[in-house]
Amino acid sequence: MTKAARVAEAAERWRDKMKIAIIGTGGIGAGLASVLAKTKHEITVADRKGGTEAAAKLAARGLSVQAAEVRPAVQAADVVILAVPYGAAAGLAEVADFAGKIVVDVTNPVKDDFSGLKIGHETSAAEEIARALSGARVVKAFNTVFAQVYDQGLTFGDTPVQTFVAADDADAKASVIALARDAGFDARDAGPLSNARYIEPFAYLNIQFGYMLGQGTQIAPVWLSR
């Protein structure tokens, strides 16, 4: 089956309501919840406090989301989005069983002082998370988007924000591409999960532009083609 056919098939499956669990309710988790809650899918937010505070804030904006503890949220989900710091992701294996789940890794392994990445070249955050979460169908996506971008929407003029989607599981990748497009992203197939080794430094470059080089957080990387 061709890539286009896989995405089309996944999009057809995703016409039905799917259960999405977002683990982590900081800026990135809340931002993703805010755009995904506008789709037909059922969104649950989870954190160490049960997600109730985050769900209430989203509800105050007219967005329908549920709150849950991490374990039941993962159990019930078709797709789990990890919007937690990279250092916390591996520990989730002790909290819930991720086997068979599509797990979207949004993390970037940035050093605490933002001087660079903790890992790279021979591995990536996504690959390490795949090793830690036994049996999970790990997909890298959404990690190049600043949390603040969600507040003003996923378009810059007429140009949608891009997300780069990498995975070894073709069906899981196609499903995440379909979900991202449903939310309003221009989702790009970025190849195998090992390409997260390049996507994560790309995200770090975006951080450099935004914070160190003074361009602010209303920016997003775009891959142009003719």
Side-chain angles (χ1 to χ4, degrees):
M1 184 181 293
T2 65
K3 290 180 182 178
R6 285 188 185 279
V7 172
E9 184 181 87
E12 183 66 29
R13 290 198 305 270
W14 282 72
R15 289 184 184 181
D16 297 326
K17 183 183 289 187
M18 302 291 282
K19 294 181 178 180
I20 315 298
I22 301 174
I23 311 302
T25 56
I28 295 294
L32 279 166
S34 71
V35 295
L36 291 171
K38 296 173 185 176
T39 70
K40 59 188 170 293
H41 307 299
E42 181 180 307
I43 310 303
T44 297
V45 293
D47 57 24
R48 289 175 295 179
K49 299 178 180 178
T52 52
E53 184 177 340
K57 287 180 179 178
L58 290 163
R61 296 167 54 187
L63 299 169
S64 178
V65 300
Q66 299 180 40
E69 300 286 344
V70 172
R71 184 174 181 179
V74 172
Q75 254 180 338
D78 300 304
V79 176
V80 180
I81 296 176
L82 300 185
V84 298
Y86 167 63
L92 291 171
E94 300 174 6
V95 179
D97 181 6
F98 290 83
K101 302 290 183 182
I102 297 175
V103 174
V104 185
D105 168 35
V106 189
T107 72
N108 287 306
V110 180
K111 292 181 179 179
D112 293 341
D113 63 359
F114 280 77
S115 63
L117 298 178
K118 295 178 180 178
I119 57 174
H121 300 296
E122 296 179 355
T123 189
S124 62
E127 291 168 282
E128 294 304 306
I129 288 169
R131 293 186 185 98
L133 303 183
S134 180
R137 305 162 67 194
V138 175
V139 180
K140 190 77 185 186
F142 307 126
N143 67 303
T144 57
V145 183
F146 280 125
Q148 294 87 342
V149 167
Y150 295 106
D151 294 336
Q152 295 190 34
L154 290 179
T155 56
F156 285 71
D158 295 327
T159 303
V161 172
Q162 291 183 356
T163 185
F164 308 97
V165 186
D168 294 331
D169 185 312
D171 289 332
K173 184 201 296 184
S175 294
V176 173
I177 288 173
L179 174 63
R181 290 176 178 171
D182 205 12
F185 287 95
D186 174 8
R188 300 298 182 98
D189 185 335
L193 193 65
S194 59
N195 279 352
R197 300 175 192 182
Y198 315 119
I199 300 171
E200 290 166 11
F202 193 31
Y204 182 67
L205 179 61
N206 195 46
I207 292 169
Q208 285 282 321
F209 278 133
Y211 290 109
M212 288 70 170
L213 299 175
Q215 294 189 22
T217 54
Q218 288 301 322
I219 60 173
V222 175
W223 201 267
L224 300 177
S225 59
R226 297 185 191 275

